[in-house]
């Protein structure tokens, strides 16, 4: 599996449904809407062989029934959560999914925080992380604690730097605005914003991104960086003793004052 055989199917307002394919066989990740998936499969002459799901939010699962109707019997791998309607094979931390067509060999990481049962799919240098890590940002913490989410992001940050990060939304430009509040003097952020503007102006996605670029520019992966820690402490008005406390301050700052 490499980046040449993965393409985004834009859906809803700003979701990307990722399609992995090889010799006419395809798998999609987080189909929140069946129609754009059906259209893309027809356009490219692909048979749907399976579905991977990261979490139960509607914009990631609502396309499942329509796709199962069109492709009866395909497996839908996803989190063990009664709210993840349509999942037929539940998986958890460490599970390994191997398919022959298309050839896929991926491991499941349990990454709670955005939701309590959120999982990511990791293998072949590729990460499908749903709404945990975004390009230049991260998901909101709806379930669980800030510490839980910070730990999930730490696990992603420990993957190899060349890992391609396929997140589920096009949020890059918006996220970069907040990142520049945190690190206004970062040349890497200025470069990244210029590049993201160029891509969006050309109607192109800004994802996948790489973990190396995220470590350089994503404030939520930079809670141990002195400039980021200092910005969070200035905003809090007091010292923050742990990376998780820095993370919590950043997340609340963005939730309350930026979005
Ligand atoms: Zn979500
Ligand atoms: Fe989402």
């Amino acid at each position: 599996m490499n980046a040449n055989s993965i393409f985004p199917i834009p859906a809803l307002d700003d979701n990307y449904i990722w399609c992995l394919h090889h010799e006419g066989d395809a798998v999609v990740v987080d189909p929140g809407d069946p129609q754009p998936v059906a259209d893309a499969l027809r356009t490219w002459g692909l048979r749907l062989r399976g579905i991977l799901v990261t979490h139960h939010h509607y914009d990631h699962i609502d396309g499942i029934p329509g796709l199962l109707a069109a492709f009866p019997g395909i497996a839908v791998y996803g989190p063990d959560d009664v709210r993840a309607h349509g999942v037929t094979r539940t998986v958890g931390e460490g599970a390994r999914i191997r398919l022959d067509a298309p050839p896929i060999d991926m491991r499941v990481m349990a990454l709670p925080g955005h939701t309590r049962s959120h999982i990511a799919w990791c293998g072949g240098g590729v990460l499908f992380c749903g709404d945990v890590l975004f390009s230049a940002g991260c998901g909101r913490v709806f379930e669980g604690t800030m510490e839980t989410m910070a730990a999930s992001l730490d696990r992603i940050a420990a993957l190899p730097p060349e890992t391609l990060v396929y997140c589920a939304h096009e949020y890059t430009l918006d996220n970069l605005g907040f990142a520049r509040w945190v690190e206004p003097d970062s040349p890497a952020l200025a470069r990244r914003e210029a590049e993201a503007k160029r891509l969006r102006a050309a109607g192109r996605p800004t994802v996948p991104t790489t973990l190396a670029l995220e470590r350089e520019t994503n404030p939520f992966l930079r809670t141990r960086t002195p400039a980021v820690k200092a910005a969070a402490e200035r905003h809090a008005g007091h010292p923050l003793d742990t990376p998780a406390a820095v993370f919590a301050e950043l997340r609340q700052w963005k939730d309350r004052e930026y979005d």
Side-chain angles (χ1 to χ4, degrees):
M1 194 54 55
N2 65 59
N4 294 327
S5 54
I6 304 174
F7 67 88
I9 302 170
L12 305 172
D13 288 336
D14 47 34
N15 281 74
Y16 288 132
I17 300 167
W18 294 104
C19 180
L20 303 81
H21 65 99
H22 181 74
E23 295 181 349
D25 296 303
V27 160
V28 293
V29 184
D30 284 355
D33 188 359
Q35 198 55 51
V37 176
D39 292 346
L41 294 171
R42 193 175 328 103
T43 298
W44 301 107
L46 300 171
R47 285 176 300 269
L48 190 63
R49 298 294 206 166
I51 295 174
L52 307 182
V53 172
T54 65
H55 69 296
H56 74 274
H57 285 157
Y58 79 96
D59 59 312
H60 301 255
I61 65 169
D62 274 8
I64 294 171
L67 293 171
L68 282 177
F71 298 91
I74 61 168
V76 183
Y77 301 94
D80 188 2
D81 188 318
V82 291
R83 301 169 297 179
H85 304 292
V87 168
T88 60
R89 303 203 198 172
T90 58
V91 292
E93 173 68 30
R96 185 173 182 186
I97 299 300
R98 273 182 285 194
L99 301 180
D100 292 330
I104 283 177
D105 186 351
M106 305 201 94
R107 273 192 193 279
V108 173
M109 296 169 76
L111 297 175
H114 177 68
T115 68
R116 107 172 85 78
S117 60
H118 201 302
I119 59 172
W121 296 87
C122 186
V126 161
L127 177 72
F128 296 104
C129 54
D131 290 357
V132 178
L133 181 68
F134 290 128
S135 172
C138 72
R140 286 174 183 264
V141 181
F142 289 124
E143 300 176 9
T145 64
M146 290 290 182
E147 288 74 17
T148 304
M149 185 68 162
S152 291
L153 291 169
D154 279 348
R155 288 193 64 199
I156 292 178
L159 294 170
E162 63 276 12
T163 302
L164 291 168
V165 178
Y166 290 82
C167 52
H169 290 270
E170 177 62 62
Y171 287 159
T172 308
L173 272 179
D174 192 47
N175 285 338
L176 285 169
F178 178 73
R180 296 198 71 179
W181 282 13
V182 180
E183 291 186 276
D185 303 324
S186 161
L189 271 178
R191 276 197 305 275
R192 192 168 183 196
E193 191 167 63
E195 170 69 1
K197 280 183 176 158
R198 188 184 67 73
L199 287 167
R200 296 309 290 151
R204 290 168 57 192
T206 61
V207 282
T209 170
T210 64
L211 206 43
L213 185 58
E214 293 311 310
R215 285 196 194 135
E216 201 184 2
T217 54
N218 188 327
F220 298 101
L221 294 189
R222 294 169 61 73
T223 53
R224 292 166 177 83
T225 302
V228 172
K229 180 170 186 280
E233 289 180 335
R234 267 196 309 279
H235 186 263
H238 56 81
L240 298 166
D241 295 334
T242 63
V246 173
F247 170 80
E249 185 61 32
L250 293 174
R251 188 63 261 180
Q252 285 162 1
W253 180 8
K254 185 166 191 274
D255 288 345
R256 291 174 189 162
E257 295 172 45
Y258 184 79
D259 282 336

